[in-house]
Amino acid sequence: MARSIRQKYPLPPHRLQRHILNHPARFKVVACGRRFGKTELGKMLLLKALTTPEKRLWWIAPTFGMAGQVWRDLSLLLAPLNPVVSAARRSIELPGGGFLTIKSAHNPDRLRGAGLDYVVMDEAAFLPETLWPEVVRPMLLDRKGGAAFLSSPLGHNHFWELHRLGIDPAHSEWESFSYSSYDNPTIDRAEIDTIRQITSQRVFQTEYLAQFVDELGAVFRNLDAAVTAPPDAQPDSARRVIIGVDWGRDVDFTVAAVFDADNLRLLALDRFNGLSWSAARARIVALSRRWNASAVWAESNSIGQPNIEVLQAEGIPVRPFNTTSSSKHALIDGLAVAIERGEIALYRDPVLLSELGSYRLSPRTGGGYRYSAPAGAHDDTVIALALAYHGARQGRISFDFA
């Protein structure tokens, strides 16, 4: 007979986690905001299904990296059963013949296999749409297994469709739950309020309020209301001017966005391509001196760094910006929040407004979001404006010793 071991879970569930944990539904769809505690909940649901060591359990995440801590935690929690642990396969073989395995959805066809008693599908909105109906659901047939789908929403995609099953009384085996980040009683609400101030409404609704916002793609909203600046601004020595530069040469464009850092107003745009790098730099030098720029924020990736070094040698106050997935997210989100709240003024430049209007937010394979222009389109004016606004937000420091 299989040996059973009863031990206390190290972190007791909060009230709403306990409600989901104890609900009798066979299939549970949990849409929740960031830091609600869905990962801990998933581990609890998986271990609750482990009533005997013969059980066969899976945890599926978009990538192995996203489930690394889950793997370590479950290995420690199941250590009293003296399992055979394989770090290479991310599997825990139990003495009674069962197993618990961490799986990546990178190649869904490789997930086909033996019957399962329970599966947790983490970040379910970011998993392949066909994974549940074509691969995982058939694996629950012979053992009448259950499943939990945990995720923040991602528009009206397949996770939304599963969530709809759980609110339809006709599907008695399903139950849906929806909780925001505010619903975690262990988090200070003021912390979330602070995040709300620096996050675009659409991202906050999705990531923190766990709302299924349709047409997630649009990034910049309230554009028409932002067009209040005159198109013919002239240099003024009293202004603090920041210039943002995005580099391009042949297919892409070099764009310099001239920005009034005190009044948060776009003053001018210079957009060109087909020039040599020396000619492009000369154009930036002339623009910087004409507007008496306090700083020029330029992307330093790839060809950017050599151009920046030459400009700095010529006395131009250039500051490098290294664009990564995280820094770009913060850069674009900052600009989106400012436009959405009417904090900055633009003038009616057709190219700029077109690029802002078409800029998209799309899901990453491993979870999270990607900001980008549509395929074949440009985003040079968007990046230049975002760099200029970023520079304006850095402020300036002065000391009064009187």
Side-chain angles (χ1 to χ4, degrees):
M1 179 178 292
R3 180 170 62 98
S4 63
I5 292 180
R6 183 178 180 85
Q7 62 183 53
K8 188 175 182 180
Y9 193 81
L11 185 66
H14 60 66
R15 178 179 59 84
L16 295 175
Q17 286 175 323
R18 189 181 300 277
H19 170 63
I20 300 170
L21 189 66
N22 293 332
H23 196 281
R26 180 182 178 186
F27 304 117
K28 302 178 182 182
V29 185
V30 185
C32 50
R34 299 286 293 272
R35 308 310 301 166
F36 169 79
K38 66 179 177 60
T39 301
E40 287 301 322
L41 171 65
K43 289 185 288 186
M44 294 174 194
L45 287 166
L46 206 62
L47 295 174
K48 184 179 175 65
L50 189 63
T51 54
T52 65
E54 293 91 351
K55 297 295 183 181
R56 301 174 182 178
L57 315 173
W58 275 11
W59 179 288
I60 305 177
T63 66
F64 278 128
M66 296 178 68
Q69 188 60 51
V70 172
W71 158 253
R72 290 186 287 273
D73 291 346
L74 291 173
S75 298
L76 289 173
L77 288 166
L78 294 174
L81 291 175
N82 297 317
V84 176
V85 178
S86 171
R89 295 194 303 269
R90 298 287 179 96
S91 67
I92 304 171
E93 297 183 26
L94 303 169
F99 57 80
L100 186 153
T101 309
I102 303 294
K103 295 287 187 177
S104 164
H106 179 69
N107 190 337
D109 285 336
R110 292 186 178 180
L111 297 179
R112 300 175 187 270
L116 297 174
D117 290 285
Y118 205 83
V119 59
V120 171
M121 301 184 70
D122 191 24
E123 297 297 350
F126 299 90
L127 294 173
E129 182 176 358
T130 59
L131 181 60
W132 165 250
E134 297 182 11
V135 179
V136 178
R137 180 62 183 92
M139 297 173 68
L140 302 175
L141 284 173
D142 55 333
R143 303 174 75 92
K144 295 184 178 180
F149 307 83
L150 315 175
S151 190
S152 56
L154 188 62
H156 289 184
N157 71 346
H158 58 279
F159 180 61
W160 175 68
E161 294 288 352
L162 293 175
H163 194 269
R164 293 177 67 196
L165 292 177
I167 60 178
D168 186 344
H171 298 277
S172 58
E173 291 188 312
W174 291 76
E175 186 68 26
S176 290
F177 309 85
S178 185
Y179 298 113
S180 74
S181 301
Y182 287 108
D183 291 319
N184 184 340
T186 67
I187 294 180
D188 185 352
R189 294 176 65 89
E191 284 290 299
I192 307 173
D193 290 338
T194 300
I195 293 174
R196 190 169 199 159
Q197 296 303 312
I198 59 172
T199 305
S200 66
Q201 180 180 350
R202 193 168 293 269
V203 172
F204 191 83
Q205 286 176 317
T206 301
E207 288 286 294
Y208 294 92
L209 299 183
Q211 295 177 359
F212 289 92
V213 180
D214 196 11
E215 295 188 10
L216 186 62
V219 174
F220 297 101
R221 310 198 314 170
N222 205 30
L223 283 174
D224 287 340
V227 182
T228 59
D232 53 356
Q234 298 298 316
D236 183 343
S237 60
R239 292 195 192 101
R240 183 170 66 96
V241 172
I242 304 294
I243 297 178
V245 176
D246 184 46
W247 302 103
R249 182 171 177 175
D250 297 319
V251 177
D252 292 326
F253 289 78
T254 291
V255 176
V258 183
F259 197 75
D260 182 341
D262 295 321
N263 297 305
L264 300 183
R265 185 176 65 179
L266 179 64
L267 300 172
L269 278 174
D270 192 15
R271 179 177 184 263
F272 54 88
N273 69 355
L275 299 182
S276 67
W277 289 122
S278 60
R281 290 193 301 269
R283 200 150 164 165
I284 300 299
V285 169
L287 197 68
S288 175
R289 290 173 177 166
R290 177 173 185 262
W291 289 92
N292 191 29
S294 301
V296 176
W297 283 81
E299 194 172 33
S300 62
N301 304 57
S302 184
I303 194 60
Q305 189 58 40
N307 281 320
I308 288 171
E309 291 174 1
V310 174
L311 289 173
Q312 288 173 334
E314 295 188 36
I316 303 301
V318 185
R319 301 185 182 183
F321 185 91
N322 182 37
T323 303
T324 64
S325 59
S326 60
S327 68
K328 184 176 183 179
H329 189 284
L331 184 76
I332 297 300
D333 212 35
L335 179 62
V337 170
I339 292 175
E340 188 174 285
R341 296 178 179 173
E343 295 173 354
I344 69 175
L346 308 175
Y347 65 82
R348 192 168 294 282
D349 181 272
V351 174
L352 172 63
L353 295 178
S354 174
E355 289 189 5
L356 288 169
S358 64
Y359 211 65
R360 314 310 286 172
L361 182 68
S362 58
R364 292 183 179 276
T365 302
Y369 303 97
R370 175 189 296 107
Y371 285 127
S372 63
H378 296 284
D379 66 354
D380 316 288
T381 63
V382 175
I383 300 301
L385 177 62
L387 286 168
Y389 178 66
H390 169 79
R393 292 171 64 194
Q394 304 308 301
R396 57 184 175 185
I397 301 175
S398 62
F399 297 91
D400 186 357
F401 295 102

